[in-house]
Amino acid sequence: MARTGRRPPQSRRIGLALAGGGPEGAVYEIGALRALEESIDGLDLNGLDIYVGVSAGAFVAAVLCNGVTTQQMVRGLVKHQPGEHPFEPHIFFTPNYREWARRGLQLPKLVAEAVRHLVGPSADQTFFESLTRLARALPVGIFDGEPLRRYLEKSFALNGRTDDFRKLKHKLRLVVTDLGTGKAIRFGEAGWDHIPISRAVQASCAMPGIYPPVSIEGHDCVDGVLLRTVHASVALEDGANLLFCVNPLVPADLSAGEDTTFTGLHALIGPPGNGMIVQRGLPTVMSQTFRTLIHSRLQVGMSTYQRRFSGSDVLLFEPARDEYRMFFMNIFSWASRRKVCELAYESTRWQLLQREEELAPVLARHGLSIRRKVLHDRSRTVWGGSGLTDDDMAPMTAKLGRALDNLEARTG
């Protein structure tokens, strides 16, 4: 946490900055935000002064700024809400068939060129150098970002919401990287506020190699996390003097011990296995590498805020590095999404509890306070606190149970 200075209550400006992390990161942020809003008196996550989002955080920030409550988002993970488009992780993972086909059609020509340069009279390339030409046939993105854009476009057409930055009640900034210049573009700022919010979210989620760049007015836009992890400075530069940051992207530490002092964390995450990261193959190795790199960068950035923004308080919430099970969840599984949301909720409540003495005076400077009764209620759950009953959870639990019974019958 960066703590600096004091400001009078009348100048209070509260912001929220959300990092990326893919679909599991979005689910983590939903659970963490629900815990923050429940546990902090005076905190209205739909009524903040400025929202900043990057990658999956852009998705959550845009939905919050459009008036969707944390309760609604939690319920949307479990059941379909009347008048709402259900949240389904598959919208993030639609294969990019058009890109595959377009690149595949180039392959015969590229093979012919490679052979010609290898065996021609003026051949000056090795076999492997010739093969590099074939790399042009590789798709620039495995998945298609258009389903995500269409999902948000439809969602923002409901219930008085908007896909127009200029019609929002509060400031929203969605950050992308301009692939041609390596610089940031902040959608929502003057000059970039005419771009539809849904298109900006698509661009901010376009991690190179995973999604193709999104072309917007001559700029090839990709994930803003390439430049910074949470882009907290965007909100601070806009005058936020209290900034909540949520970052799901931390490297897993399989050597750390679990802390069982708060409701059920040990039961949620379980023990690690030796060599778990390597055993799960290249995607998991790459994920751990990426998380390590950007988290190190985040720590450096957070350390500079006290000097650069001397009148602001920055509160960072992220998973403990020993909450490793979050990093190996199958986000397509309802049970896994439920566990990630529960873990985020419990972890954030645990952090608030552990940091209560430190956070109370910081929050008080901005007219907020910790709801001690809520925070110390260990029987509270993210589902019950969001208005869900056992009957709401039962259909999904029964469906999971039937699937397990069928699997046991087939293998037994």
Side-chain angles (χ1 to χ4, degrees):
M1 181 196 75
R3 172 191 177 249
T4 59
R6 291 174 178 263
R7 291 202 178 198
Q10 60 268 25
S11 68
R12 182 182 75 171
R13 288 178 58 81
I14 301 178
L16 175 67
L18 300 176
E24 68 272 22
V27 173
Y28 185 93
E29 288 174 346
I30 290 170
L33 292 171
R34 183 65 199 141
L36 289 173
E37 193 166 44
E38 271 190 352
S39 304
I40 299 177
D41 189 31
L43 180 62
D44 176 8
L45 289 177
N46 296 111
L48 303 180
D49 296 285
I50 183 169
Y51 299 79
V52 178
V54 59
S55 195
F59 174 91
V60 177
V63 172
L64 273 175
C65 200
N66 250 297
V68 181
T69 67
T70 57
Q71 285 182 313
Q72 287 175 298
M73 285 192 279
V74 168
R75 290 197 295 265
L77 295 175
V78 176
K79 58 185 293 188
H80 294 174
Q81 300 291 301
E84 293 284 351
H85 291 283
F87 173 78
E88 296 290 350
H90 69 76
I91 65 173
F92 286 92
F93 296 114
T94 303
N96 195 358
Y97 296 117
R98 290 175 298 177
E99 172 72 2
W100 295 358
R102 185 175 71 85
R103 296 282 174 169
L105 291 174
Q106 299 178 18
L107 189 57
K109 179 182 177 181
L110 293 172
V111 169
E113 289 180 356
V115 172
R116 185 170 65 252
H117 282 80
L118 181 63
V119 302
S122 59
D124 60 354
Q125 293 185 337
T126 67
F127 174 73
F128 291 105
E129 287 172 333
S130 296
L131 284 182
T132 59
R133 291 178 172 270
L134 303 185
R136 301 176 190 174
L138 295 175
V140 294
I142 299 172
F143 301 111
D144 188 356
E146 274 296 304
L148 172 61
R149 185 197 64 78
R150 291 194 296 267
Y151 169 87
L152 287 173
E153 184 180 49
K154 292 180 180 178
S155 179
F156 292 157
L158 299 173
N159 305 322
R161 300 169 193 161
T162 181
D163 201 20
D164 190 332
F165 284 99
R166 297 164 295 187
K167 296 181 180 179
L168 291 170
K169 296 179 181 179
H170 309 282
K171 291 183 179 180
L172 173 65
R173 304 290 184 260
L174 306 180
V175 188
V176 305
T177 302
D178 183 345
L179 197 59
T181 65
K183 297 179 180 179
I185 296 175
R186 301 173 179 180
F187 290 110
E189 289 189 347
W192 291 107
D193 55 357
H194 61 288
I195 304 300
I197 297 171
S198 55
R199 179 68 72 186
V201 173
Q202 177 193 5
S204 190
C205 290
M207 171 59 69
I210 306 300
Y211 298 97
V214 179
S215 180
I216 300 177
E217 298 189 351
H219 299 265
D220 289 326
C221 301
V222 295
D223 197 331
V225 81
L226 298 184
L227 296 173
R228 293 178 185 171
T229 306
V230 293
H231 289 270
S233 60
V234 175
L236 295 170
E237 289 169 0
D238 195 74
N241 45 55
L242 175 61
L243 183 64
F244 292 91
C245 300
V246 180
N247 170 46
L249 287 171
V250 301
D253 184 354
L254 304 189
S255 68
E258 302 85 2
D259 191 326
T260 59
T261 60
F262 200 60
T263 33
L265 279 182
H266 179 73
L268 286 171
I269 61 180
N274 292 329
M276 181 185 291
I277 291 176
V278 175
Q279 290 172 9
R280 295 179 71 90
L282 180 61
T284 303
V285 172
M286 293 300 295
S287 174
Q288 177 75 340
T289 302
F290 177 72
R291 289 171 180 275
T292 301
L293 287 173
I294 67 169
H295 192 257
S296 174
R297 186 178 61 189
L298 171 66
Q299 291 175 316
V300 173
M302 293 293 291
S303 67
T304 68
Y305 294 145
Q306 184 171 1
R307 182 182 72 256
R308 292 181 58 199
F309 304 99
S310 60
S312 299
D313 293 301
V314 181
L315 304 179
L316 174 65
F317 296 89
E318 57 185 9
R321 293 179 59 169
D322 61 350
E323 290 167 8
Y324 39 79
R325 287 295 180 187
M326 173 189 162
F327 312 120
F328 309 116
M329 293 290 187
N330 173 15
I331 203 64
F332 291 100
S333 159
W334 176 84
S336 292
R337 296 201 300 274
R338 174 177 175 173
K339 284 185 177 180
V340 169
C341 189
E342 288 174 346
L343 187 151
Y345 179 82
E346 295 287 345
S347 174
T348 305
R349 281 167 52 85
W350 181 82
Q351 290 180 58
L352 288 168
L353 186 66
Q354 296 297 306
R355 298 166 61 185
E356 184 177 358
E357 184 176 341
E358 165 203 350
L359 294 176
V362 176
L363 295 172
R365 286 200 295 273
H366 304 278
L368 306 177
S369 61
I370 291 177
R371 293 188 175 110
R372 301 189 74 255
K373 184 176 181 180
V374 171
L375 186 59
H376 288 262
D377 180 2
R378 299 194 178 194
S379 66
R380 198 173 185 90
T381 68
V382 64
W383 314 115
S386 299
L388 290 165
T389 66
D390 291 341
D391 290 339
D392 293 321
M393 308 296 286
M396 299 301 295
T397 305
K399 183 177 180 180
L400 177 63
R402 288 195 298 271
L404 292 174
D405 290 341
N406 291 337
L407 179 62
E408 183 177 1
R410 291 179 181 179
T411 58

